[in-house]
Amino acid sequence: KKKNVYAYALAKTLAKVHPPMTVGLYSSCHSRIKMILKNIEGHMNDEAKRRESKCVKTSKPRPMKASIGNLLSLITHLVFYRPVWTEENQSRECVRYVFVKFSAWHFAGSDMLWAGLVMHLCQTLQDSFGKLQLSLFRVAQYDVEKYSKRRKTEDSSENWRPKMVLCCPLWAIILMSLIGSLFILVPLIIYGFPQQKIASEGDKDGSGNSGYGVLEGLAIAALGVPAAGAVRFTVMLGKNLIFNQDLNVRRSLDNKQVSEQLGLMHEVRKEMRLLSCFVHFMEIFERRKIKVVLEITNLDRCTPEKIVGVLDAINILLSDEESPFISLIAIDPEVLTQQVDQAKGCFTKKDRAYSFLDRIITLPFTIPPLCEVSKCKVFRKIVCGQPEISNSQFDEVDKFCESETSISVEDNSSITSSLIQGKATTKTQNNEVERLIQSAFESIFLCNQSSLHTYVSDNTVSMRRVINSIRVTIMVMEAFKIEVPPPERVAAWVVLVDRWPCRLSWILQCVEDEEQNLKINENETGTPADSNHDKTLWNVFSEHRVELHVIGDEVEKFLERDDDPELFEMFLKKDFKFTVGEMAMFKSHTVNLDCSIKNELARIRGNKRVKGTGRSFYNTLSPKSVINMSEEDVCNELSKLKLPEKYNQLVRENHINGQTLLLSDPADLRQVMQMTLGEWTTFRIHFLGVMSFGCQSQTRSAPVNSKPNVVICPSGLKHDHMT
């Protein structure tokens, strides 16, 4: 089974393990990451429902839906009771998952991305459990000193214990206070204080008033203490209702004294500890385990410093031993490792990307690539304008993948009819263009027609680029009244441009330079030059691949954009043998090729030729000529240069052919040949060309070893080889 099975296996694993846990969900395709996360959520919720259905009735969890009865019961437990951690309630099988979706891209503009993560987590938990409940917990339950200690599991059958004040339950004290207040308030409301009546009877010395004044004072004192406590509790509760949990983080960010002296991370960690304790409290109340699954996506789109900050926050804030958090970091591992290595502060090997991730990630999970059938299905969905990550689609894909490896003829007809139905509602002015575009798409997602689907990337972003580029290319050709090639060739050309932009740009530049040289020779000799329009692109690349290898360091950033080079060879050499003539026709109508790559390759190649300062003037051989030389060919060239015969013997003894000349270090080559400075200069210019100043400096710095038994170190010190 395919993707759904991987999501199911990961969901089962997450249901079994105890938090905290950090999972690295690795894939370069964001759409597939979303699909996997969606499937994981579905499987985890199904697992939670399955466990609750098997639960014994006596310990059945409370319903998660809000009701007046549950709310009153929760308020009562929050105000008057404290939870007891027992073996029974800590080993419950029923579980509830709270999914927190955090897109780092939405907070990329924040100076502290990890602070945005914490604030988003606070807000999501408030929305899931209720703002009133979390505020009541902060006011009535949370004690920093008590909850900062590790929880102790007790051997008890009770899950709740009443709060005690002076060895009396808090609820009893409040109840007695209310009853006493009623006994005092009711007579006062009914009869009032008879002060006016006493004064009217002419109590001259006012001694009677003093007795009633004492009674009034006692009544106020009896009612004032509970009233003051109630007012204080109400004010604190109102404050926490008005000011959200995430505002505490924001205030800490704005407070320079906290952030610079006391440590902002410490203040934020206290807020995270509060959330963890509240989740544990709700576990006892709901009679089920609660796990908070934090899904972090688009982290690889942020700057290196912010990425490291978020990873540090996960490592520091969410890695408490009693933390209920499971972190799913959905990222492109290649981009992430490059970004982490570029971050400031990476001074040791442990700070490097892979070592850094190994300290944080407890389960690396690489999403496997799409199978061929799945890839075609996704491509067809995008063409039809349907969501490529719908559950029904991938369930259907899994069924296909289990039974067969390619789409049958019946499936082809159903797919084609589906595509036609999707296009029927679209009114177009040119049916022929639409027919060509449709045929080009079919050449990709109908597996039995061609092998082009093999070369299409399984990244949905790349698929969309190919689809859009095919549409535009065919429309442009039709608008210029050019005879459109077979749709499959158009689709193959667009795929070639999308997958290997650097190598194709190199071929374009080499063909352009050869055509210019042919025109130069034609003007000089007066004879027309032979046309290379029937020459295949693979032959052009093969002739100039050595030169591309030589300048590999300078074009490395462009070569990184290309995909598998073996697939490139199979594409041009076996399946789609494009010629120079076809390339000339496609070149002016290709919209998805970045011309800046070709221009940069032209500049680098031109600089190399300028540094060579003219092969004809210096009698310099081209790299293409040198690479194919045998040992005897090298000896023949040495004879043409009128160099001593002893060098021919050295060439044969050391098996020096054309590849050795081009790919070996010039300093090592000169040391083996044991030439004088003048002889080496002639040899180097003829075979290697005029080198840059840096290379010349390196070559000159390598001393000539005239004594075979003496090893010359870079420092110039001589050591006897025999010793």
Side-chain angles (χ1 to χ4, degrees), residues 567-713:
L567 276 180
F568 174 75
E569 180 177 355
M570 187 167 63
F571 185 94
L572 288 180
K573 190 176 182 180
K574 177 184 176 183
D575 293 332
F576 299 95
K577 300 178 181 180
F578 284 104
T579 63
V580 174
E582 287 181 293
M583 184 186 68
M585 185 263 300
F586 278 118
K587 181 173 62 174
S588 58
H589 307 99
T590 303
V591 296
N592 62 327
L593 180 62
D594 187 359
C595 295
S596 63
I597 300 178
K598 176 180 173 296
N599 296 336
E600 186 66 19
L601 293 176
R603 185 191 63 80
I604 296 174
R605 201 179 191 210
N607 288 344
K608 288 292 182 182
R609 290 183 174 181
V610 170
K611 291 173 182 177
T613 323
R615 291 196 182 101
S616 59
F617 181 80
Y618 285 103
N619 193 20
T620 300
L621 297 175
S622 65
K624 183 173 65 174
S625 302
V626 176
I627 195 66
N628 298 318
M629 282 186 176
S630 63
E631 296 176 12
E632 291 301 324
D633 293 335
V634 174
C635 293
N636 292 335
E637 291 295 328
L638 291 177
S639 300
K640 292 179 182 179
L641 295 176
K642 299 180 180 181
L643 292 175
E645 183 64 27
K646 64 177 181 179
Y647 297 128
N648 294 347
Q649 186 66 24
L650 288 174
V651 168
R652 296 186 180 95
E653 290 178 357
N654 293 278
H655 304 288
I656 300 176
N657 55 18
Q659 292 184 357
T660 305
L661 290 174
L662 284 180
L663 303 180
S664 61
D665 188 350
D668 296 336
L669 189 60
R670 181 185 177 186
Q671 185 175 357
V672 170
M673 297 299 292
Q674 301 180 16
M675 291 181 172
T676 63
L677 179 60
E679 293 171 340
W680 168 249
T681 302
T682 303
F683 176 87
R684 174 174 55 78
I685 291 176
H686 185 69
F687 288 100
L688 306 180
V690 179
M691 306 170 64
S692 63
F693 178 77
C695 296
Q696 291 179 11
S697 301
Q698 292 179 358
T699 305
R700 292 192 186 104
S701 63
V704 179
N705 185 7
S706 58
K707 297 181 180 180
N709 294 331
V710 177
V711 178
I712 302 178
C713 300

Side-chain angles (χ1 to χ4, degrees), residues 314-344:
I314 295 173
N315 193 30
I316 296 174
L317 302 177
L318 309 182
S319 298
D320 187 79
E321 293 182 1
E322 299 177 354
S323 173
F325 301 104
I326 297 176
S327 305
L328 290 175
I329 308 177
I331 49 176
D332 183 350
E334 183 178 357
V335 176
L336 181 71
T337 51
Q338 292 176 357
Q339 293 283 64
V340 172
D341 283 337
Q342 293 175 7
K344 297 179 180 178

Side-chain angles (χ1 to χ4, degrees), residues 130-347:
K131 192 174 181 179
L132 175 63
Q133 293 86 321
L134 186 55
S135 300
L136 269 175
F137 177 82
R138 187 183 189 93
V139 175
Q141 279 284 332
Y142 188 65
D143 185 352
V144 178
E145 295 183 359
K146 183 176 181 180
Y147 279 97
S148 61
K149 300 178 182 178
R150 184 182 178 85
R151 290 182 300 170
K152 294 182 179 180
T153 304
E154 302 180 10
D155 186 10
S156 174
S157 59
E158 299 179 350
N159 291 328
W160 301 96
R161 286 178 184 169
K163 296 181 181 179
M164 307 297 289
V165 177
L166 299 176
C167 299
C168 293
L170 177 61
W171 63 266
I173 294 177
I174 294 179
L175 181 61
M176 288 187 294
S177 299
L178 290 175
I179 294 174
S181 300
L182 289 176
F183 276 108
I184 297 175
L185 282 174
V186 170
L188 291 178
I189 293 174
I190 295 175
Y191 301 105
F193 291 101
Q195 296 177 357
Q196 301 297 331
K197 182 178 179 182
I198 296 172
S200 63
E201 292 178 354
D203 190 358
K204 297 180 180 180
D205 56 358
S207 59
N209 282 339
S210 62
Y212 287 103
V214 172
L215 180 63
E216 183 180 7
L218 291 174
I220 294 173
L223 297 175
V225 174
V231 170
R232 178 180 178 275
F233 182 84
T234 304
V235 170
M236 293 181 64
L237 179 61
K239 176 183 176 183
N240 283 274
L241 285 174
I242 296 174
F243 299 101
N244 298 333
Q245 293 293 117
D246 58 340
L247 290 180
N248 295 325
V249 179
R250 295 178 184 177
R251 285 200 301 268
S252 299
L253 288 171
D254 296 334
N255 191 340
K256 292 184 178 181
Q257 183 180 7
V258 171
S259 59
E260 294 178 0
Q261 298 179 10
L262 302 180
L264 175 60
M265 190 68 76
H266 174 69
E267 292 296 321
V268 176
R269 183 161 187 166
K270 290 195 297 185
E271 295 297 323
M272 297 301 300
R273 181 64 181 173
L274 168 67
L275 295 177
S276 299
C277 295
F278 175 71
V279 170
H280 294 315
F281 179 91
M282 294 301 297
E283 287 180 344
I284 307 300
F285 177 76
E286 293 187 2
R287 296 193 287 269
R288 63 165 64 88
K289 300 292 289 183
I290 299 177
K291 296 180 180 180
V292 181
V293 182
L294 181 58
E295 302 175 1
I296 303 175
T297 57
N298 298 317
L299 186 61
D300 44 13
R301 297 183 178 182
C302 302
T303 58
E305 288 74 16
K306 293 179 180 179
I307 292 175
V308 173
V310 171
L311 295 177
D312 276 332
I314 295 173
N315 193 30
I316 296 174
L317 302 177
L318 309 182
S319 298
D320 187 79
E321 293 182 1
E322 299 177 354
S323 173
F325 301 104
I326 297 176
S327 305
L328 290 175
I329 308 177
I331 49 176
D332 183 350
E334 183 178 357
V335 176
L336 181 71
T337 51
Q338 292 176 357
Q339 293 283 64
V340 172
D341 283 337
Q342 293 175 7
K344 297 179 180 178
C346 295
F347 301 112

Side-chain angles (χ1 to χ4, degrees), residues 22 74 106 138 220 235 238 248 389 462 471 487 498 585:
T22 303
L74 177 58
H106 296 164
R138 187 183 189 93
I220 294 173
V235 170
N248 295 325
I389 60 173
S462 177
R471 289 184 185 275
D498 182 74
M585 185 263 300

